Amino acid sequence: MHKETDINIGKSNRISDTSGNKAIILVEDKNYQHLKNVITTLEQLYKELDHDQKTIVDMAVYR
């Protein structure tokens, strides 16, 4: 009778991919997520400005 053996015994469930690990860390980082939400909100607000308002903001940011 053939018995299956689990070759993953004792191995971590963590992804061995370095980029994948970094992505997981960023997704789980509350401070990073907060800053990402702030940036998204500011970008959306900027899109809603008229030309003159954008000029004023640009002058303040890029002076």
Side-chain angles (χ1 to χ4, degrees):
M1 179 192 292
H2 177 64
K3 185 176 179 183
E4 300 254 343
T5 50
D6 187 353
I7 60 172
N8 292 319
I9 293 175
K11 295 198 177 191
S12 172
N13 289 335
R14 227 25 187 171
I15 298 172
S16 61
D17 173 32
T18 307
S19 297
N21 285 333
K22 288 179 183 177
I24 290 170
I25 290 167
L26 290 176
V27 167
E28 293 175 348
D29 186 318
K30 291 186 185 302
N31 189 41
Y32 174 80
Q33 291 302 319
H34 173 70
L35 292 173
K36 185 176 167 187
N37 289 336
V38 168
I39 291 169
T40 302
T41 301
L42 290 172
E43 287 173 339
Q44 183 59 41
L45 290 170
Y46 184 82
K47 287 179 187 178
E48 295 174 9
L49 298 176
D50 64 30
H51 178 71
D52 291 337
Q53 292 169 327
K54 285 182 181 179
T55 300
I56 294 168
V57 170
D58 291 345
M59 288 172 57
V61 171
Y62 300 112
R63 59 181 175 117

